[in-house]
């Protein structure tokens, strides 16, 4: 998951629809899959997002990947 990208999108009022237009996506599912890390952004897509929406940010910052938190089972050892 790209928490930094999502945070900056919220901070600068960049919507999913804005990114879809920038990247030429017709499907919200395609964008969601990329934002959640299910599928990879291409280098071209990353550079385009930076150029159009976040020119003052580093790619490394915007596209730093964070693991999604999964529910882990806690066992009772008593």
């Amino acid at each position: 998951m790209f928490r930094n990208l999502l945070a900056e999108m919220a901070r600068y009022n960049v919507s999913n629809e804005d990114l879809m237009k920038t990247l030429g996506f017709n499907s919200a599912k395609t964008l969601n899959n990329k934002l959640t890390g299910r599928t990879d952004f291409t280098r071209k897509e990353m550079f385009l997002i930076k150029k159009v929406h976040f020119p003052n940010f580093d790619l490394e910052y915007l596209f730093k990947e964070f693991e999604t938190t999964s529910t882990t089972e806690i066992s009772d050892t008593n």
Side-chain angles (χ1 to χ4, degrees), residues 1 4 20 25 31-32 35 48 57 59-60 69 77-78:
M1 176 176 285
N4 293 341
M20 287 176 58
F25 293 166
L31 179 61
N32 187 52
L35 289 173
L48 193 56
F57 290 95
L59 279 175
E60 294 82 9
T69 56
T77 58
N78 292 334

Side-chain angles (χ1 to χ4, degrees), residues 12 16-17 19 30 39 42 44-45 52 57-58 62 64 68 71:
Y12 289 94
N16 285 2
E17 291 78 20
L19 288 189
T30 299
T39 57
T42 66
K44 183 178 178 180
E45 291 166 345
V52 173
F57 290 95
D58 293 330
L62 290 172
K64 179 178 180 181
T68 57
T71 306

Side-chain angles (χ1 to χ4, degrees), residues 11-37:
R11 191 171 289 124
Y12 289 94
N13 296 316
V14 176
S15 68
N16 285 2
E17 291 78 20
D18 293 331
L19 288 189
M20 287 176 58
K21 288 177 189 175
T22 298
L23 299 173
F25 293 166
N26 294 321
S27 167
K29 184 175 182 176
T30 299
L31 179 61
N32 187 52
N33 285 341
K34 289 181 182 258
L35 289 173
T36 58

